[in-house]
Amino acid sequence: RLGRPLVHRLAHDVAAIAPAVAHLGVLHGRETVYLLRESTPVAVTVVVDVGVRLPATLTASGRCQLALLPPAQVRALFPSRQSFVDRTGRGPMALTALRRLLAEEAARGWAEEDGLVVEGYASVAAAAVDRSGRPVASVGLTFRSDQVDVPERVRLARAVRSVARELSRRLG
């Protein structure tokens, strides 16, 4: 309820930058579950849809939330190599690689993936947090990798960070 108008506005606001799909996701164990989806006027065909579950370690939406969890909780979620999923031959496949990636993304304030879920598609996402600073959701954008250069990705990341901050404020 609180996220829907923000995700809708995000899709509208980034339409001038690139065709994209805006979405809101939550962590459910080792997976990202998508609860909301809004497309820019120029549609992009993506795997992200309401109810879709994807490995949290491969999605920007999952990793931006994992980056804010206590290290012990991340270790409990991913205790062994068998805890990791490989979809495209890239992405973290061990806890040490995941921790390194999460530290970089936590320091930057947003997560990015490119081709880890589906070749040719990328995403940026930022976490919304509750009063205690725990991640409760992510706000993200998914787009075609070849249609968005680095400066545009940074602009998209700034947009998702802004919306995630607003959602955090509304949560309380």
Side-chain angles (χ1 to χ4, degrees):
R1 180 176 56 83
L2 295 174
R4 186 174 306 281
L6 298 174
V7 172
H8 177 78
R9 186 183 78 214
L10 175 63
H12 179 268
D13 290 350
V14 302
I17 300 171
V21 171
H23 41 78
L24 182 133
V26 296
L27 281 178
H28 188 261
R30 292 185 206 139
E31 297 178 313
T32 304
V33 180
Y34 294 92
L35 304 179
L36 295 172
R37 170 196 161 120
E38 289 281 338
S39 293
T40 55
V42 176
V44 178
T45 303
V46 296
V47 69
V48 174
D49 205 353
V50 173
V52 166
R53 295 171 174 266
L54 292 170
T57 57
L58 300 181
T59 65
S61 294
R63 287 203 319 266
C64 68
Q65 294 174 82
L66 290 171
L68 299 179
L69 294 177
Q73 189 172 353
V74 174
R75 184 177 57 248
L77 287 168
F78 302 99
S80 68
R81 287 194 179 271
Q82 290 73 34
S83 306
F84 293 84
V85 175
D86 178 15
R87 288 180 59 107
T88 63
R90 295 182 295 189
M93 293 301 295
L95 185 58
T96 53
L98 177 62
R99 281 190 172 150
R100 192 170 32 254
L101 188 56
L102 296 178
E104 292 169 10
E105 292 174 335
R108 184 173 57 202
W110 54 278
E112 178 179 19
E113 71 85 13
D114 192 342
L116 302 185
V117 177
V118 176
E119 288 286 343
Y121 289 87
S123 298
V124 293
V129 297
D130 64 13
R131 285 185 200 137
S132 67
R134 290 192 52 85
V136 294
S138 63
V139 176
L141 291 163
T142 299
F143 45 87
R144 298 240 349 143
S145 299
D146 60 355
Q147 294 180 346
V148 182
D149 63 19
V150 173
E152 290 170 330
R153 286 181 193 213
V154 171
R155 287 175 59 203
L156 294 175
R158 286 184 186 138
V160 298
R161 282 186 70 189
S162 175
V163 172
R165 280 193 299 270
E166 176 59 20
L167 181 56
S168 298
R169 188 190 67 70
R170 289 183 182 195
L171 288 168

